[in-house]
Amino acid sequence: MTINSPVDSSNHGVDVTALKSHVEKNFEKILEELSSLVAIPGVAWESFDPANLEQSAEAVAALARDAGMDSVEILREADDNGVMGAPAVVARRKAAPGKPTILLYAHHDVQPPGNDEDWNTPAFEATRVGERLYGRGAADDKAGIMVHIASLRAVLESVEDFGVGVSYFFEGEEEAGSPSFRNFLEAHQEKLAADVIIVADSSNWAVGTPALTSSLRGMAAAEITVRSLGHAVHSGMFGGPVLDAPILAAKLIASFHDENGSVAVSGLVANDSAEVDFDEAEFRRDSSVLDSVQLAGTGKITDRLWNKPALSVIGMDMPSVDRSSNTLIPQMRFKVSMRLAPGQEPQQALAALEAHVKSVDLRGAEVQFVATEGGNAYQADLEASANDTARWALEQSWGVEPVSMGLGGSIPFIADLLDVFPQAQILVTGVEDPDSRAHSANESLHIGDFQKAIVAEALLLARINSTGL
């Protein structure tokens, strides 16, 4: 859906034309810098070479120095278990007297590439096809880093007397769940303190239509083990009187949704409050759901994505088909991932899921429930002054009115930002679009919208410099 409206003619003391011209003149260089970052396979998972994360942090630090920062550091902190976290880049340019400070966040680590055969182009080689740039991290979130780098360069070279303080926080373990994030914030609170925090790790409404993220779902996860036998036995000798663990687990999994496909776990928050909606045909295309498959749930698609819970089984431990034998399987473990509506406490959601699991009649089978993860939802303050400034900047850059949209995904660390910096205004922006396929094969970035995102952030910084918050 595209929302058109006249562009605001007031420039609030900002030379919009000069900033747009600067970004356009330097855009090929910016794409080359992004391509160089994409070539570094920095994955913060134990099974991947940590030297790549070090290389990624060094490359990002070099870009921060080039952007005009006064100080640039590569820092680490341990998580709650004492395990040292991945390298993060922290850079600062101090504010002039009376000027606010803006903290710009993105992350330089990426998701694992998955299977090479699923990619149409090499995963770690930025490849331009038409209006899109393909490669792991091209959108999520190395493009976010380059928006921050390029926008600051633009204002420093185009705006006289730019005095706003700007800090960079480029994390190195977001895709691994940010295990040391809270400890990092507390250890470096003075360096990261800001009046406004901009998190560039979200999505736009559609190609050609920008958005500010108004809400994010929380998340929770648990591992569930169903056991019905002491050990595996011959399926012919014992099958019939005995149901094996996968059959009983299937009964449990089937209880998670009602006949409409809505989550059937009692006690979970669900709301109907979205002001916009997706076209179903477009949503089906973007999600790749088969034509024969009915969409789950009720109400607006946007509410089902942003304001209601979702529950998925994302992994199972049992023999593969190729290694299967005619035996009754004694035990099966599976992992459940839940997305939670704003207003839902993760621990309450996990307690509700556990109660549901233990209420299902599995003919006396043993059931073990282990909560493994929880993260808070996010609800934006749409009345914040920085929100109005950001909307003006997005509209000036794209030429259409931006959308305030929720997002079905989760960024749990935003709750930590709010706890540690309660006075800061937080904006969640992004360069992705519904076809970016972040986390999947053939991840890509729309090049035109990438350029507009840089212009928009430069305009935002310039207007804050001109008019304050």
Side-chain angles (χ1 to χ4, degrees), residues 14 20 35 41 68 83 103-104 123 157 159 172-173 203 210 212 224 235 297 302 314 323 359 377 388 422 425 463:
V14 176
K20 286 184 176 180
S35 297
V83 178
L103 175 64
L104 304 176
E157 295 175 19
V159 177
E173 56 184 26
S203 181
L212 280 175
I224 300 168
S235 62
T302 45
I314 62 172
R323 293 181 175 272
S359 73
D388 289 338
Q425 300 181 47
R463 179 171 162 183

Side-chain angles (χ1 to χ4, degrees), residues 328-450:
L328 299 180
I329 299 169
Q331 174 179 297
M332 194 183 90
R333 182 176 66 141
F334 60 95
K335 185 172 184 178
V336 171
S337 174
M338 293 195 298
R339 301 291 175 166
L340 310 174
Q344 176 78 72
E345 291 291 333
Q347 295 307 314
Q348 292 176 351
L350 286 164
L353 178 61
E354 182 175 12
H356 177 93
V357 166
K358 293 183 176 179
S359 73
V360 178
D361 180 9
L362 298 184
R363 309 186 71 83
E366 296 178 358
V367 179
Q368 182 183 35
F369 182 97
V370 178
T372 60
E373 197 171 1
N376 288 303
Y378 163 71
Q379 189 75 51
D381 178 7
L382 298 180
E383 302 302 316
S385 60
N387 184 77
D388 289 338
T389 304
R391 291 181 64 84
W392 169 86
L394 290 168
E395 187 170 343
Q396 289 290 325
S397 182
W398 261 267
V400 298
E401 183 182 354
V403 175
S404 292
M405 61 175 280
L407 200 68
S410 306
I411 310 180
F413 66 72
I414 291 181
D416 292 323
L417 289 172
L418 288 167
D419 282 346
V420 178
F421 306 111
Q423 302 305 315
Q425 300 181 47
I426 295 182
L427 299 175
V428 182
T429 65
V431 295
E432 297 173 32
D433 62 80
D435 200 34
S436 288
R437 304 187 189 184
H439 295 201
S440 301
N442 302 309
E443 177 183 344
S444 71
L445 171 74
H446 188 274
I447 294 170
D449 276 5
F450 176 48

Side-chain angles (χ1 to χ4, degrees), residues 79 105 109 171 173-183 412-413 416:
D79 65 17
Y105 169 93
D109 66 306
E171 188 191 356
E173 56 184 26
E174 194 273 345
E175 300 292 11
S178 303
S180 69
F181 188 90
R182 181 59 180 255
N183 292 347
F413 66 72
D416 292 323

